[in-house]
Amino acid sequence: MKLNILGTEYRVITKALKDCDGECDAIRKRIVIHDMSDYTKEQRSFRRKEVLRHEIVHAFLAESGLQADTSKARAWAMNEEMVDWIARQGPKIFQTFREADAM
């Protein structure tokens, strides 16, 4: 799969990962998602989407120039909790945008 992240093409690759469920490589312009083989069949689809959203947020922050230089905020753009919040709440925010005709 290929994604357009602010005009930059990122490849999405699925493979077995040992220490995490996903990673965003802004240098190679790729998002790697764990194959989820260690999850139950019922958990795989949900977890894959959750991880993919998280890594897409990392890619957007990187392509916005926020990955390396985050000023005095101590790398806020790489903070996993902040990225998780955006990834988890994004679908709800976008649904509210649609309901408000704000897209």
Side-chain angles (χ1 to χ4, degrees):
M1 175 191 325
K2 294 180 182 177
L3 299 174
N4 181 325
I5 308 290
L6 298 176
T8 299
E9 186 176 280
Y10 274 67
R11 290 181 304 129
V12 178
I13 300 165
T14 301
K15 69 178 192 177
L17 295 173
K18 292 183 182 184
D19 298 324
C20 61
D21 283 347
E23 61 187 31
C24 176
D25 185 337
I27 302 298
R28 293 185 180 122
K29 309 300 182 197
R30 68 181 191 174
I31 292 171
V32 182
I33 304 296
H34 180 48
D35 65 11
M36 305 299 167
S37 58
D38 48 346
Y39 287 87
T40 67
K41 187 176 180 180
E42 294 78 26
Q43 295 169 328
R44 286 181 192 150
S45 178
F46 176 82
R47 183 63 181 148
R48 184 180 193 290
K49 289 177 184 179
E50 187 175 57
V51 172
L52 185 56
R53 285 193 307 268
H54 178 97
E55 300 309 330
I56 288 169
V57 171
H58 274 301
F60 268 91
L61 291 169
E63 292 305 315
S64 295
L66 297 172
Q67 184 176 20
D69 183 16
T70 55
S71 188
K72 297 177 185 176
R74 302 187 85 200
W76 69 268
M78 294 178 66
N79 179 286
E80 293 298 316
E81 291 171 338
M82 192 273 307
V83 171
D84 260 351
W85 186 88
I86 294 169
R88 289 178 186 211
Q89 302 309 323
K92 298 170 197 164
I93 293 167
F94 297 135
Q95 178 61 36
T96 303
F97 286 169
R98 283 191 285 277
E99 289 173 7
D101 194 25
M103 291 295 279

